[in-house]
């Protein structure tokens, strides 16, 4: 072994390990964001269908992710449900990401008068 190459593996590991940890945290945050996005989409669909049937927006509240805001609006013969939920980035001091999902459903006949 040549004397100038001694300890290079340790130096490379010390330089690469924080980068690998940062990449792992970013990947786990991305998976968490995609999972929350799917949950928001499911919630928006449930809320839009419930409002279209005249049951109000309570249909989506049971399946909403923690901290989610569900809003339902009527536009003629359509109802639109929007769900916003914060995603906490892994790493503590990083800013939160907000995911949004929207679903639209046709209002069933007679349901619009009951829901308002």
């Amino acid at each position: 072994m040549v004397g100038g190459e001694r300890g290079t593996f340790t130096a490379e590991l010390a330089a690469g390990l924080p980068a690998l940890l940062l990449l792992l945290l970013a990947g786990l945050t991305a998976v968490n964001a995609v999972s929350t996005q799917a949950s928001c989409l499911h919630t928006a669909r449930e809320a839009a269908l419930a409002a279209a049937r005249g049951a109000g927006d309570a249909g989506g509240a049971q399946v909403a992710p923690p901290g989610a805001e569900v809003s339902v609006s009527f536009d003629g013969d359509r109802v639109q449900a929007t769900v916003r939920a914060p995603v906490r980035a892994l790493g503590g001091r990083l800013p939160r990401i907000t995911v949004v999902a929207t679903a639209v459903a046709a209002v069933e006949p007679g349901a619009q008068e009951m829901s308002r």
Side-chain angles (χ1 to χ4, degrees):
M1 179 182 274
V2 179
E5 294 181 14
R6 192 168 193 181
T8 56
F9 177 75
T10 305
E12 290 171 359
L13 183 65
L17 200 55
L20 184 62
L21 184 61
L22 182 63
L23 189 62
L24 178 66
L25 286 176
L28 290 175
T29 300
V31 168
N32 190 17
V34 169
S35 173
T36 304
Q37 173 71 27
S39 181
C40 284
L41 185 58
H42 178 67
T43 301
R45 286 178 183 161
E46 290 293 323
L49 288 174
R53 293 181 185 131
D57 61 343
Q62 291 99 6
V63 294
E69 298 174 7
V70 180
S71 63
V72 177
S73 63
F74 289 88
D75 183 25
D77 61 345
R78 295 184 308 165
V79 61
Q80 179 176 344
T82 303
V83 179
R84 296 177 185 275
V87 176
R88 184 145 181 94
L90 297 176
R93 298 180 189 241
L94 297 174
R96 289 187 178 197
I97 303 166
T98 302
V99 294
V100 180
T102 302
V104 178
V107 176
E108 294 184 9
Q112 191 168 7
E113 292 80 21
M114 291 186 302
S115 62
R116 285 190 181 178

